[in-house]
Structures are given as structure tokens and as C-alpha cells.
Amino acid sequence: MNTKRHILLAGMMGSGKSTVGPRLAIDLGWDFHDLDDKIERTLGKSVTDVFADEGEGFFRTAESECLGELLKNTAPAVIALGGGTLLDESSRKKAAAHWVVWLDLAPEELWRRVQKTQRPLAQQDFEAFRALYAARRPVYRETKTFYLRCDHLDPEQIVSRIIPLVKGDTPQ
């Protein structure tokens, strides 16, 4: 039996991790955690404010610590990672013991989705965003257990594709 306990949803901001995660958790009968929400509760301020006040380095350290706390839970859970979580080597090592599902979309679609948000790294032009996407792809590729292209899939279709990937290896 596989010892992997948690499903970690990875991908760029706007890939649907926080939308798909709760639905996947419900279908599996597991808990759901959004890493950004955990960070905000732990630090007492928004991700945007942490970036502005403390910088990305501080944020990535706090993010890795919060991820470690979530992964200590023995009950299986679905965890939506932040778009840059896997950039941190410590976070990648922690994630490696679990299923990492990379939700990928075309950068144009991701850009369209994040334009309505206040995400710190989405406050740039499309070319800078595309460069960020290109820089992160190798990290996602290296860390992922499963890859799922999601351009024309709704959240329920994404969930229905993830469940068979881990079925049979999930704790009962």
C-alpha cells in the first residue's frame, strides 16, 4: 500500500486549485486546506500584505512552515498550494512524500483569470506573467506526481480525472 497521505494541488495562480480542491475533498470524504488561507490565519494578515510588508523571502519561509504543519495531519487531505510554493526546496521535499497534481492551463487563460484578483505577482504585464509561467513550469514538471491539462475542463471534470489517478492508493 502506498504511504502517500495527501493530495497537493499545484500550478500557477488561476489554475483552479482553490476551486477544485474543496470539490475533490468532498468526493473523497477528506478534509480540504488552502495553504494561502492557513498562512493568512497564522500570520494574521493577507498574502498581499505579507508580500508588501515582509517580502517574498519571508513569505516563502512562512509558507513552507505552514505546509509542514498541514502535512503532519494523519487524516488524508486535499491541499491547494500557492502558485510559488514548490519554488522553495524545503516545500518541494515535503511535497515529495505525497501526490502532487499539477493543474496546467495556457498562460493566456491563467492571465485572464488572475486579472480580477489582487494577487501580488499578477500585478504586472502579460509578458512578465508569461515569463513567470515559463520559469515555474520546470519546477512543476519536476515535482508533480500527475499532470492534468485543464484548459477546457470544468471543476467537476477535473475532479473526475484526479480521483482515478490516486484510487487504489488512497488510505481508507
Side-chain angles (χ1 to χ4, degrees):
M1 182 174 179
N2 198 319
T3 59
K4 296 179 186 287
R5 282 188 307 217
H6 305 295
I7 297 171
L8 311 180
L9 300 178
M12 283 289 288
M13 62 189 97
S15 62
K17 302 176 300 283
S18 297
T19 300
V20 169
R23 292 176 170 132
L24 178 60
I26 288 168
D27 283 7
L28 290 169
W30 293 10
D31 290 334
F32 170 74
H33 304 282
D34 187 295
L35 184 55
D36 283 348
D37 290 346
K38 167 80 171 151
I39 294 163
E40 289 179 349
R41 285 191 312 276
T42 299
L43 298 179
K45 57 170 97 173
S46 72
V47 168
T48 301
D49 288 344
V50 174
F51 261 79
D53 298 344
E54 311 293 341
E56 186 173 359
F58 176 88
F59 175 82
R60 295 292 172 216
T61 299
E63 182 178 51
S64 183
E65 290 170 3
C66 288
L67 177 61
E69 289 176 26
L70 290 174
L71 294 176
K72 287 179 186 174
N73 293 329
T74 57
V78 175
I79 301 170
L81 301 178
T85 303
L86 297 176
L87 299 175
D88 178 77
E89 184 178 348
S90 174
S91 293
R92 282 195 309 278
K93 286 179 181 177
K94 292 170 186 168
H98 305 276
W99 291 284
V100 178
V101 180
W102 174 18
L103 304 180
D104 191 23
L105 289 93
E108 295 80 9
E109 175 60 16
L110 293 165
W111 178 250
R112 185 189 68 75
R113 291 179 180 193
V114 301
Q115 287 307 285
K116 301 172 190 156
T117 71
Q118 296 301 315
R119 296 171 190 196
L121 296 178
Q123 307 306 309
Q124 52 194 334
D125 63 34
F126 177 67
E127 288 311 313
F129 183 83
R130 184 194 301 266
L132 182 66
Y133 172 84
R136 289 182 176 184
R137 281 183 61 85
V139 175
Y140 297 144
R141 186 178 300 117
E142 169 191 319
T143 312
K144 62 128 174 83
T145 308
F146 302 111
Y147 173 80
L148 188 57
R149 188 66 186 216
C150 304
D151 290 280
H152 301 290
L153 302 176
D154 66 36
E156 293 306 322
Q157 291 170 314
I158 295 168
V159 167
S160 72
R161 284 171 171 79
I162 294 172
I163 290 175
L165 297 175
V166 298
K167 198 154 186 105
D169 286 333
T170 57
Q172 301 303 319

